[in-house]
Amino acid sequence: MKYIVANWKANKTLPEALNWIKDFNNLIENNSRVKEALSIDKLSVIIAPAHPFIYLLKDLITTKNVCFGTQDISSFEEGSYTGEVTAKMITLAAKFTLVGHSERRQNFHENEENIGRKIEQAQNYGIEPILCVRNTSDKIYDNVNFVAYEPVEAIGTGKNQDLKEITAIKKQFAFKTPVKFIYGGSVNEINSKGYLHDQEIDGLLIGTASLYPHSFVQILDQV
Ligand code: PGA
């Protein structure tokens, strides 16, 4: 199974998000290869819109192996934490959540302590955390099943990392438990094939290219 995550980041208005879903559904409907890959559990697609959209979008896609996730989650369960979106709130819509994306570590001062609590909150509410790490210095939590390796210099720069380099770094992580290893950083429909056909890479985390349903579905088509 290859896992492909669409990370929309802080992009799209509600009408734009609805259009994306409409186009995505049409593209999938007309693509027998992608439909087959989804139906035989070869492909799993996770769409991560901004929080306000998730409950509005979740029932608009009914295809097997396509689900929604969030880009972040609160490290608190509930209570007086103004502005927070908790695992408890999103559990009915999100099967996955990203945790510790480098943009959050950098712009919102997330540290290993917050990240550990976010993982715990997600797991307590049946949401699978996808731990995003920048390099081998970031902590790998023992109980995570999904690790997204995203070198900062590759994110949004067009400088996707070479497959050989990624597999070498994967070895350096020396995971103690088996994890699904996902790569992210300037993946698009032109460079995605090599990653998707390598056994060491279990999936892709896609930012910019995921904003365009045509590009995104072309990536899915390469599985
Ligand atoms: P990018 O973003 O595909 O635009 O490089 C990836 C990410 O930050 O998840």
Side-chain angles (χ1 to χ4, degrees), residues 51 54-55 70 72-73 85-94 127:
H51 285 130
I54 190 163
Y55 277 97
T70 49
D72 181 40
I73 204 167
V85 177
T86 66
K88 198 174 182 177
M89 294 171 188
I90 59 161
T91 183
L92 296 180
I127 299 167

Side-chain angles (χ1 to χ4, degrees), residues 7 9 98 101-103 150 154-158 184-187 205-209:
N7 176 11
K9 308 190 180 182
L98 301 180
H101 191 284
S102 59
E103 289 159 8
E150 296 201 304
I155 296 180
T157 56
S186 294
V187 175
L205 175 49
I206 300 167
T208 313

Side-chain angles (χ1 to χ4, degrees), residues 96-115:
F96 290 83
T97 184
L98 301 180
V99 172
H101 191 284
S102 59
E103 289 159 8
R104 297 211 57 86
R105 294 182 196 246
Q106 189 188 325
N107 300 315
F108 304 97
H109 312 295
E110 282 191 11
N111 56 34
E112 296 297 8
E113 194 209 324
N114 313 134
I115 292 168

